[in-house]
Amino acid sequence: MILSCHIGTIMILTDKEYIDVVISTSETGALLSERYFASNGRVLLYDLRSLVEQAMRVHGMSLVNVSLKVYVGTPDEQSEDYDEKKFCVLYCDRDIDIYDFEPLLRSHFLTAAASRRVAPDCFVFLPFFAYAGESVNYEIFVDFVSGDEPGHCRLEGPLNQSTASYNYVRMHTFFSSEVKRQAEEMVGGKIELTAFTVRMGDRAASFFIDKSLSGTRPFYFRNCFNVPDNLFVPAVTTAKTKLDRSLAVLGTVSQFYDANCEQTFDVQSGGLTADECSLVEQMICSNDVRTPYESATYDGDFDTMRPVLITDSTSEIADVPEMPNMVKFTWRYAENRIAQRNPLGLGIFTEPYDFTFR
């Protein structure tokens, strides 16, 4: 298995005038079928990385099996005169200079952040690569406050004695409300959740509850491994609505026509940690960014969320602690119509009044 960023130039040696090359995957089908004429007995295939990554992005896949077939005659289903090379590819669109990456996959989740801040009521995605025979059980270490006293407890995941039967990418989804409920059942009383850490083998990821993020809009996106990730940004958001229309005048009567409304949201973040900066960078560069619908804020299915577009961004990341890391970006809904917040999803008469714009 290799990372997609490690796919380099492939050299094919031949004594023929030309060869036919077919590149395909068992998951997405044919990617390339071309005839190449040899030069000095060689054929060079450049930038296969982009070809494979593009196919994986379109299908939302992070792991594929690639087949490279070289024919000396016209390729067809009955032809047996070919050479074939097969390899498994894990998506990674960043330049990583670690070629022995098995220890990395066994000790890290498929995310750039080992810790991050999240809103009190939220859900988070934790994707990981599981090797065949590896245990996929997880445990949650919970920090909370009960009364005025801090407390800790440990929760077992539901996958007791479960192991991966083959190499694959899997994802767990964790709801803070469910973690809190299980912790309250264990301690036998009401608690205030302050943090929780998910452990699976040598992998660990921590989530710190930040009350100031309550009510802020979370963003979910496909990260550098083409798997869903999440980001809660302490930020100030400004909505801007632009109206573009033409004016027609007939005698003493005027009329607007070709009216188009466009709404964008400018986000100015507060200070960010180094891990959060990595998440912001990947979100800005992501091909698939989404946010929950107001009427379904706890729907933990990435594919059912509302697509958004990051149209502009400025990142200011310093390497000195005196300068807080901040980011500015502008986003809009992928749907061209202006979105109207669903009044049924606002929790009216159940939430404290909040005068700030959200």
Side-chain angles (χ1 to χ4, degrees):
M1 185 176 68
I2 63 172
L3 298 178
S4 63
C5 62
H6 292 161
I7 300 177
T9 300
I10 295 179
M11 178 188 297
I12 303 173
L13 303 179
T14 180
D15 58 356
K16 304 295 183 180
E17 179 183 2
Y18 62 85
I19 57 174
D20 289 286
V21 177
V22 177
I23 301 176
S24 62
T25 75
S26 56
E27 295 81 7
T28 64
L31 305 181
L32 175 72
S33 180
E34 294 289 345
R35 173 167 292 181
Y36 296 96
F37 288 83
S39 175
N40 296 324
R42 300 186 305 171
V43 172
L44 298 179
L45 303 180
Y46 292 98
D47 202 22
L48 292 183
R49 163 186 168 173
S50 298
L51 181 69
V52 174
E53 288 181 346
Q54 176 62 26
M56 297 175 75
R57 280 196 298 268
V58 169
H59 292 84
M61 307 187 70
S62 54
L63 191 70
V64 296
N65 295 290
V66 178
S67 169
L68 171 64
K69 292 183 178 181
V70 179
Y71 295 82
V72 295
T74 302
D76 56 58
E77 295 181 356
Q78 287 73 38
S79 175
E80 297 182 357
D81 191 7
Y82 64 86
D83 290 324
E84 182 179 17
K85 176 66 176 179
K86 293 183 178 181
F87 50 94
C88 184
V89 175
L90 177 64
Y91 187 98
C92 179
D93 63 8
R94 294 294 190 271
D95 187 15
I96 298 180
D97 59 352
I98 302 175
Y99 286 85
D100 182 16
F101 53 87
E102 180 175 342
L104 177 68
L105 296 180
R106 290 187 181 275
S107 60
H108 290 75
F109 290 100
L110 296 180
T111 177
S115 63
R116 71 192 76 178
R117 290 171 289 180
V118 295
D121 292 319
C122 69
F123 62 89
V124 294
F125 297 128
L126 264 186
F128 62 95
F129 182 88
Y131 284 92
E134 180 185 2
S135 172
V136 294
N137 297 334
Y138 66 82
E139 51 189 353
I140 305 175
F141 296 88
V142 183
D143 295 321
F144 59 86
V145 174
S146 180
D148 293 328
E149 296 295 326
H152 314 276
C153 68
R154 175 176 169 272
L155 305 176
E156 289 282 355
L159 302 175
N160 294 327
Q161 307 302 321
S162 178
T163 58
S165 55
Y166 56 93
N167 293 350
Y168 68 110
V169 174
R170 182 168 180 167
M171 183 177 66
H172 292 314
T173 304
F174 297 93
F175 293 81
S176 60
S177 58
E178 180 64 17
V179 173
K180 179 182 177 181
R181 184 193 64 79
Q182 293 184 31
E184 288 178 336
E185 289 183 353
M186 178 168 289
V187 302
K190 293 292 184 179
I191 67 169
E192 178 184 341
L193 185 66
T194 58
F196 63 95
T197 297
V198 180
R199 290 286 303 271
M200 194 182 71
D202 293 332
R203 306 174 183 88
S206 297
F207 303 91
F208 298 93
I209 308 300
D210 187 345
K211 293 181 181 179
S212 67
L213 295 177
S214 181
T216 59
R217 179 176 296 278
F219 293 94
Y220 296 85
F221 59 96
R222 290 193 177 275
N223 64 18
C224 67
F225 297 102
N226 206 33
V227 289
D229 211 329
N230 36 264
L231 175 67
F232 292 79
V233 182
V236 175
T237 300
T238 304
K240 296 182 178 181
T241 303
K242 178 183 178 182
L243 176 62
D244 184 16
R245 55 192 177 183
S246 301
L247 179 66
V249 179
L250 179 60
T252 60
V253 178
S254 299
Q255 177 68 50
F256 287 121
Y257 68 98
D258 287 344
N260 294 295
C261 292
E262 178 181 308
Q263 189 173 62
T264 59
F265 301 87
D266 291 343
V267 178
Q268 169 66 66
S269 80
L272 303 174
T273 66
D275 281 354
E276 290 169 342
C277 288
S278 297
L279 292 175
V280 170
E281 179 189 45
Q282 293 190 20
M283 183 189 74
I284 291 173
C285 299
S286 176
N287 291 277
D288 192 356
V289 183
R290 300 178 182 238
T291 191
Y293 286 90
E294 285 80 3
S295 58
T297 55
Y298 303 114
D299 187 350
D301 186 348
F302 179 83
D303 292 328
T304 62
M305 295 183 190
R306 176 178 288 176
V308 302
L309 305 175
I310 307 296
T311 59
D312 191 20
S313 63
T314 301
S315 180
E316 300 176 1
I317 301 176
D319 59 358
V320 292
E322 291 80 9
M323 298 180 61
N325 299 317
M326 295 186 298
V327 66
K328 301 177 184 178
F329 62 92
T330 301
W331 66 275
R332 52 160 291 183
Y333 292 108
E335 171 61 49
N336 289 331
R337 291 179 179 268
I338 294 179
Q340 174 63 45
R341 186 182 284 252
N342 188 337
L344 297 179
L346 293 179
I348 189 169
F349 305 130
T350 63
E351 297 291 338
Y353 173 71
D354 186 354
F355 66 90
T356 58
F357 170 79
R358 289 188 293 172

